[in-house]
mmCIF file of all heavy atoms in Angstrom:
data_model
loop_
_atom_site.group_PDB
_atom_site.id
_atom_site.type_symbol
_atom_site.label_atom_id
_atom_site.label_comp_id
_atom_site.label_asym_id
_atom_site.label_seq_id
_atom_site.Cartn_x
_atom_site.Cartn_y
_atom_site.Cartn_z
ATOM 1 N N ASP A 90 -1.549 24.443 -19.682
ATOM 2 C CA ASP A 90 -1.061 23.537 -18.649
ATOM 3 C C ASP A 90 -1.933 23.585 -17.397
ATOM 4 O O ASP A 90 -1.731 22.800 -16.464
ATOM 5 C CB ASP A 90 0.378 23.893 -18.253
ATOM 6 C CG ASP A 90 1.374 23.656 -19.376
ATOM 7 O OD1 ASP A 90 1.274 22.617 -20.064
ATOM 8 O OD2 ASP A 90 2.264 24.513 -19.561
ATOM 9 N N THR A 91 -2.892 24.488 -17.362
ATOM 10 C CA THR A 91 -3.794 24.599 -16.218
ATOM 11 C C THR A 91 -4.582 23.302 -16.038
ATOM 12 O O THR A 91 -5.226 22.816 -16.966
ATOM 13 C CB THR A 91 -4.765 25.773 -16.411
ATOM 14 O OG1 THR A 91 -4.023 26.995 -16.407
ATOM 15 C CG2 THR A 91 -5.807 25.806 -15.298
ATOM 16 N N ALA A 92 -4.484 22.735 -14.837
ATOM 17 C CA ALA A 92 -5.122 21.447 -14.561
ATOM 18 C C ALA A 92 -4.890 21.086 -13.099
ATOM 19 O O ALA A 92 -4.075 21.716 -12.411
ATOM 20 C CB ALA A 92 -4.544 20.350 -15.458
ATOM 21 N N VAL A 93 -5.589 20.046 -12.670
ATOM 22 C CA VAL A 93 -5.233 19.388 -11.410
ATOM 23 C C VAL A 93 -4.193 18.330 -11.748
ATOM 24 O O VAL A 93 -4.416 17.491 -12.644
ATOM 25 C CB VAL A 93 -6.454 18.752 -10.743
ATOM 26 C CG1 VAL A 93 -6.043 18.010 -9.475
ATOM 27 C CG2 VAL A 93 -7.503 19.817 -10.416
ATOM 28 N N TYR A 94 -3.084 18.378 -11.053
ATOM 29 C CA TYR A 94 -1.983 17.436 -11.300
ATOM 30 C C TYR A 94 -1.999 16.348 -10.234
ATOM 31 O O TYR A 94 -2.040 16.642 -9.036
ATOM 32 C CB TYR A 94 -0.649 18.185 -11.309
ATOM 33 C CG TYR A 94 -0.417 18.936 -12.586
ATOM 34 C CD1 TYR A 94 -1.146 20.074 -12.885
ATOM 35 C CD2 TYR A 94 0.514 18.489 -13.522
ATOM 36 C CE1 TYR A 94 -0.972 20.758 -14.074
ATOM 37 C CE2 TYR A 94 0.717 19.167 -14.715
ATOM 38 C CZ TYR A 94 -0.030 20.289 -14.984
ATOM 39 O OH TYR A 94 0.155 20.970 -16.178
ATOM 40 N N TYR A 95 -1.928 15.105 -10.703
ATOM 41 C CA TYR A 95 -1.985 13.945 -9.827
ATOM 42 C C TYR A 95 -0.672 13.167 -9.882
ATOM 43 O O TYR A 95 -0.154 12.886 -10.973
ATOM 44 C CB TYR A 95 -3.111 13.005 -10.248
ATOM 45 C CG TYR A 95 -4.486 13.601 -10.122
ATOM 46 C CD1 TYR A 95 -5.076 14.275 -11.193
ATOM 47 C CD2 TYR A 95 -5.213 13.482 -8.930
ATOM 48 C CE1 TYR A 95 -6.341 14.827 -11.077
ATOM 49 C CE2 TYR A 95 -6.485 14.025 -8.821
ATOM 50 C CZ TYR A 95 -7.035 14.691 -9.886
ATOM 51 O OH TYR A 95 -8.288 15.231 -9.772
ATOM 52 N N CYS A 96 -0.186 12.813 -8.724
ATOM 53 C CA CYS A 96 0.939 11.907 -8.612
ATOM 54 C C CYS A 96 0.412 10.476 -8.633
ATOM 55 O O CYS A 96 -0.675 10.207 -8.099
ATOM 56 C CB CYS A 96 1.671 12.188 -7.303
ATOM 57 S SG CYS A 96 3.032 11.091 -6.909
ATOM 58 N N ALA A 97 1.153 9.570 -9.236
ATOM 59 C CA ALA A 97 0.728 8.172 -9.310
ATOM 60 C C ALA A 97 1.913 7.255 -9.063
ATOM 61 O O ALA A 97 3.045 7.569 -9.447
ATOM 62 C CB ALA A 97 0.115 7.886 -10.679
ATOM 63 N N ALA A 98 1.627 6.115 -8.455
ATOM 64 C CA ALA A 98 2.649 5.111 -8.188
ATOM 65 C C ALA A 98 2.302 3.810 -8.895
ATOM 66 O O ALA A 98 1.137 3.559 -9.203
ATOM 67 C CB ALA A 98 2.751 4.857 -6.686
ATOM 68 N N ASP A 99 3.353 3.020 -9.132
ATOM 69 C CA ASP A 99 3.177 1.758 -9.841
ATOM 70 C C ASP A 99 2.605 2.007 -11.230
ATOM 71 O O ASP A 99 1.591 1.412 -11.628
ATOM 72 C CB ASP A 99 2.295 0.801 -9.042
ATOM 73 C CG ASP A 99 2.363 -0.627 -9.546
ATOM 74 O OD1 ASP A 99 3.303 -0.947 -10.308
ATOM 75 O OD2 ASP A 99 1.468 -1.421 -9.195
ATOM 76 N N VAL A 100 3.260 2.904 -11.937
ATOM 77 C CA VAL A 100 2.817 3.292 -13.274
ATOM 78 C C VAL A 100 3.438 2.340 -14.294
ATOM 79 O O VAL A 100 4.656 2.255 -14.424
ATOM 80 C CB VAL A 100 3.222 4.743 -13.586
ATOM 81 C CG1 VAL A 100 2.757 5.125 -14.990
ATOM 82 C CG2 VAL A 100 2.619 5.690 -12.555
ATOM 83 N N SER A 101 2.590 1.656 -15.008
ATOM 84 C CA SER A 101 3.063 0.676 -15.981
ATOM 85 C C SER A 101 3.503 1.354 -17.278
ATOM 86 O O SER A 101 3.243 2.544 -17.503
ATOM 87 C CB SER A 101 1.948 -0.323 -16.287
ATOM 88 O OG SER A 101 0.932 0.327 -17.042
ATOM 89 N N ARG A 102 4.142 0.564 -18.133
ATOM 90 C CA ARG A 102 4.519 1.104 -19.455
ATOM 91 C C ARG A 102 3.280 1.428 -20.281
ATOM 92 O O ARG A 102 3.342 2.235 -21.202
ATOM 93 C CB ARG A 102 5.414 0.121 -20.186
ATOM 94 C CG ARG A 102 6.811 0.009 -19.591
ATOM 95 C CD ARG A 102 7.713 -0.854 -20.466
ATOM 96 N NE ARG A 102 9.072 -0.932 -19.950
ATOM 97 C CZ ARG A 102 9.479 -1.838 -19.073
ATOM 98 N NH1 ARG A 102 8.655 -2.745 -18.625
ATOM 99 N NH2 ARG A 102 10.733 -1.831 -18.653
ATOM 100 N N ALA A 103 2.152 0.810 -19.935
ATOM 101 C CA ALA A 103 0.883 1.133 -20.599
ATOM 102 C C ALA A 103 0.230 2.372 -19.992
ATOM 103 O O ALA A 103 -0.870 2.755 -20.391
ATOM 104 C CB ALA A 103 -0.069 -0.051 -20.500
ATOM 105 N N LEU A 104 0.907 2.972 -19.014
ATOM 106 C CA LEU A 104 0.482 4.222 -18.381
ATOM 107 C C LEU A 104 -0.778 4.052 -17.551
ATOM 108 O O LEU A 104 -1.596 4.967 -17.453
ATOM 109 C CB LEU A 104 0.342 5.337 -19.421
ATOM 110 C CG LEU A 104 1.598 5.589 -20.258
ATOM 111 C CD1 LEU A 104 1.369 6.732 -21.246
ATOM 112 C CD2 LEU A 104 2.812 5.864 -19.386
ATOM 113 N N THR A 105 -0.935 2.868 -16.977
ATOM 114 C CA THR A 105 -1.942 2.685 -15.940
ATOM 115 C C THR A 105 -1.229 2.801 -14.591
ATOM 116 O O THR A 105 -0.014 2.602 -14.502
ATOM 117 C CB THR A 105 -2.619 1.316 -16.053
ATOM 118 O OG1 THR A 105 -1.615 0.290 -15.918
ATOM 119 C CG2 THR A 105 -3.308 1.164 -17.401
ATOM 120 N N ALA A 106 -1.998 3.149 -13.556
ATOM 121 C CA ALA A 106 -1.389 3.373 -12.247
ATOM 122 C C ALA A 106 -2.136 2.604 -11.174
ATOM 123 O O ALA A 106 -3.356 2.447 -11.247
ATOM 124 C CB ALA A 106 -1.379 4.858 -11.907
ATOM 125 N N GLY A 107 -1.368 2.165 -10.168
ATOM 126 C CA GLY A 107 -1.974 1.417 -9.082
ATOM 127 C C GLY A 107 -2.440 2.278 -7.924
ATOM 128 O O GLY A 107 -3.372 1.912 -7.206
ATOM 129 N N TYR A 108 -1.794 3.437 -7.767
ATOM 130 C CA TYR A 108 -2.104 4.304 -6.637
ATOM 131 C C TYR A 108 -2.101 5.760 -7.103
ATOM 132 O O TYR A 108 -1.297 6.136 -7.964
ATOM 133 C CB TYR A 108 -1.064 4.149 -5.516
ATOM 134 C CG TYR A 108 -0.887 2.733 -5.045
ATOM 135 C CD1 TYR A 108 0.104 1.914 -5.589
ATOM 136 C CD2 TYR A 108 -1.725 2.191 -4.065
ATOM 137 C CE1 TYR A 108 0.268 0.610 -5.171
ATOM 138 C CE2 TYR A 108 -1.572 0.891 -3.639
ATOM 139 C CZ TYR A 108 -0.581 0.097 -4.194
ATOM 140 O OH TYR A 108 -0.432 -1.201 -3.777
ATOM 141 N N TRP A 109 -2.988 6.554 -6.480
ATOM 142 C CA TRP A 109 -3.148 7.954 -6.872
ATOM 143 C C TRP A 109 -3.112 8.867 -5.658
ATOM 144 O O TRP A 109 -3.590 8.504 -4.576
ATOM 145 C CB TRP A 109 -4.492 8.154 -7.576
ATOM 146 C CG TRP A 109 -4.608 7.437 -8.875
ATOM 147 C CD1 TRP A 109 -5.132 6.201 -9.089
ATOM 148 C CD2 TRP A 109 -4.187 7.917 -10.158
ATOM 149 N NE1 TRP A 109 -5.064 5.882 -10.430
ATOM 150 C CE2 TRP A 109 -4.487 6.913 -11.107
ATOM 151 C CE3 TRP A 109 -3.583 9.099 -10.600
ATOM 152 C CZ2 TRP A 109 -4.212 7.060 -12.468
ATOM 153 C CZ3 TRP A 109 -3.301 9.230 -11.947
ATOM 154 C CH2 TRP A 109 -3.604 8.231 -12.866
ATOM 155 N N GLY A 110 -2.569 10.069 -5.852
ATOM 156 C CA GLY A 110 -2.691 11.109 -4.862
ATOM 157 C C GLY A 110 -3.991 11.860 -5.028
ATOM 158 O O GLY A 110 -4.801 11.556 -5.915
#
Side-chain angles (χ1 to χ4, degrees):
D90 294 318
T91 294
V93 177
Y94 283 71
Y95 296 91
C96 176
D99 195 16
V100 180
S101 71
R102 289 187 178 88
L104 305 181
T105 60
Y108 305 94
W109 295 94

